[in-house]
């Protein structure tokens, strides 16, 4: 409704949330008055009211924006509250060795300076190239704890990594044996220190070492700036809503048994399949169709079908079933 009303007034909004909308200052009061008849109270309380004025808005994508003052080439954030979002950055630990208190503000300052061409991408690379993107997580599942088995060997109990301890994780930049190396390391307050010490690879459990396995913070920042807004068409300026045509149904969400493992798998979102639909598709496969989907042996397909017919169940974690899932769902 707010978007439609602004169009009638010959204006546009910069950003909209569930309870707020960023509009040109000269349209703010008029928009608030338009919604006032919807006030559900028996007293005259403003349903919407102008709060922040004369601020610039810089938006990258949903939940990735900053409100700021810009005058004479100087960028300044609001003093009474944080006026930049940490979505996409909030998972990172403080990378600065001198413990810069508001380090996210410094990164946002550099993002805005890059926008105004006060600095270049090379400046970003030089400033952050020796710092790395590292997150802090909790050992909250037995799977994660088992990855530290080698590091725990021959250590006294008090020095071992235990359930619900913190640990540090970085983000994959190198592929080895067709798998991304995901560095895990014991917790330390000197976060950047783990880059130069042995770590555990999450997938293989092997002990590795080397800064080449860690993602430079400069790359994280530049990728952050280039993040696309998937719900709209366009790259810059006023974007247009995308027209969406549903071609299938895939279950996704946060309510999952393995949700704690998701931060370690930053390649893609967790997907929940419709098991009944998968079983019916497997039952309908011919040996030739199954072979094209990666299941080479007729006997393997027969075992799958026999189990479905007998028990009404199918294990989604076996190698052959995963092959079918990857092809059926794509």
């Amino acid at each position: 409704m707010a978007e439609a009303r602004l169009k009638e007034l010959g204006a546009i909004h910069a950003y909209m949330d569930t309870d707020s909308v960023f509009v040109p200052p000269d349209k703010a009061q008029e928009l608030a008055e338009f919604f006032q008849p919807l006030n559900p109270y028996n007293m005259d309380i403003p349903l919407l009211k102008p709060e922040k004025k004369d601020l610039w808005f810089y938006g990258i994508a949903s939940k990735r924006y900053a409100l700021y003052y810009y005058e004479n080439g100087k960028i300044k954030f609001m003093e009474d509250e944080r006026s930049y979002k940490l979505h996409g950055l909030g998972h990172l630990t403080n990378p600065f060795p001198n413990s810069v208190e508001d380090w996210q503000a410094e990164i946002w300052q550099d993002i805005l300076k890059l926008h105004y061409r006060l600095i270049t991408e090379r400046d970003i690379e030089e400033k952050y190239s020796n710092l790395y993107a590292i997150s802090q997580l909790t050992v909250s599942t037995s799977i994660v704890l088992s990855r530290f088995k080698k590091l725990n060997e021959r250590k006294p109990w008090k020095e071992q990594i235990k359930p619900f301890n913190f640990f540090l994780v970085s983000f994959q930049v190198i592929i080895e044996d067709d798998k991304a190396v995901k560095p895990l390391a014991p917790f330390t307050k000197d976060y950047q220190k783990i880059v130069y010490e042995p770590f555990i690879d999450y997938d293989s459990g092997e002990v590795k070492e080397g800064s080449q396995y860690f993602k430079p913070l400069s790359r994280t920042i530049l990728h952050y700036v280039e993040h696309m807004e998937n719900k709209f068409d366009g790259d810059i300026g006023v974007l247009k809503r995308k027209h969406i045509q549903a071609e299938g149904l895939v279950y996704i969400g946060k309510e999952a048994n393995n949700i704690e493992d998701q931060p370690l798998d930053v390649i893609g979102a967790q997907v929940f399949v419709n098991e009944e639909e998968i079983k019916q598709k497997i039952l309908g496969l011919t040996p030739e169709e199954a072979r094209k989907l990666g299941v080479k042996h007729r006997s393997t397909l027969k075992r799958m079908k026999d189990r479905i017919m007998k028990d009404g169940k199918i294990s989604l974690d076996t190698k052959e079933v995963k092959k079918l899932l990857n092809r059926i769902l794509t």
Side-chain angles (χ1 to χ4, degrees), residues 29-220:
Q29 188 59 42
E30 194 169 355
L31 186 65
E33 292 173 357
F34 174 75
F35 280 96
Q36 191 56 28
L38 297 178
N39 177 22
Y41 305 104
N42 58 4
M43 58 185 71
D44 190 22
I45 298 176
L47 190 64
L48 293 176
K49 58 182 179 180
E51 285 189 348
K52 305 172 180 66
K53 298 181 180 180
D54 301 324
L55 286 163
W56 287 92
F57 170 87
Y58 177 83
I60 296 173
S62 297
K63 299 183 180 180
R64 300 188 182 205
Y65 67 84
L67 299 173
Y68 60 98
Y69 301 99
Y70 182 68
E71 188 174 357
N72 299 324
K74 293 185 178 181
I75 299 163
K76 184 179 179 182
F77 295 118
M78 297 170 59
E79 295 181 356
D80 55 338
E81 63 179 284
R82 177 178 284 160
S83 58
Y84 49 86
K85 289 293 182 179
L86 299 182
H87 186 81
L89 292 176
H91 65 287
L92 298 175
T93 56
N94 187 345
F96 295 107
N98 295 327
S99 299
V100 176
E101 184 175 350
D102 202 355
W103 59 272
Q104 294 104 334
E106 183 158 345
I107 289 178
W108 262 110
Q109 280 272 354
D110 288 335
I111 290 173
L112 292 172
K113 288 178 181 177
L114 186 65
H115 169 71
Y116 286 108
R117 298 183 180 179
L118 301 175
I119 60 175
T120 65
E121 289 189 2
R122 176 169 289 186
D123 294 323
I124 295 284
E125 290 172 353
E126 289 179 354
K127 179 175 180 178
Y128 295 99
S129 61
N130 291 325
L131 300 172
Y132 297 85
I134 296 171
S135 291
Q136 174 182 311
L137 296 176
T138 305
V139 181
S140 55
T141 69
S142 59
I143 295 175
V144 175
L145 180 62
S146 67
R147 298 301 191 270
F148 291 101
K149 184 176 180 180
K150 288 186 179 180
L151 286 184
N152 281 339
E153 285 179 354
R154 294 186 294 277
K155 286 185 178 179
W157 171 252
K158 66 178 182 179
E159 295 180 10
Q160 291 183 17
I161 298 169
K162 296 177 279 294
F164 303 106
N165 284 172
F166 292 126
F167 70 96
L168 300 176
V169 56
S170 189
F171 304 94
Q172 54 260 49
V173 292
I174 289 182
I175 304 294
E176 291 184 352
D177 299 325
D178 296 325
K179 289 187 177 181
V181 176
K182 306 172 188 176
L184 304 186
F187 178 79
T188 171
K189 291 184 178 180
D190 187 359
Y191 308 118
Q192 298 293 311
K193 180 182 177 182
I194 69 168
V195 176
Y196 308 102
E197 296 182 345
F199 64 84
I200 294 288
D201 175 26
Y202 176 76
D203 280 326
S204 68
E206 296 178 5
V207 178
K208 297 180 181 291
E209 187 173 359
S211 61
Q212 70 272 19
Y213 292 105
F214 292 79
K215 186 176 182 179
L217 188 58
S218 57
R219 192 185 305 180
T220 298

Side-chain angles (χ1 to χ4, degrees), residues 1-7 11-25 27-32 34-35 47-53 57 65 67 241:
M1 292 174 64
E3 181 180 359
R5 180 56 178 164
L6 284 170
K7 285 184 178 179
I12 59 170
H13 69 286
Y15 186 85
M16 188 179 297
D17 209 337
T18 53
D19 58 356
S20 62
V21 56
F22 302 167
V23 303
K27 304 297 182 184
Q29 188 59 42
E30 194 169 355
L31 186 65
F34 174 75
F35 280 96
L47 190 64
L48 293 176
K49 58 182 179 180
E51 285 189 348
K52 305 172 180 66
K53 298 181 180 180
F57 170 87
Y65 67 84
L67 299 173
R241 292 184 181 274

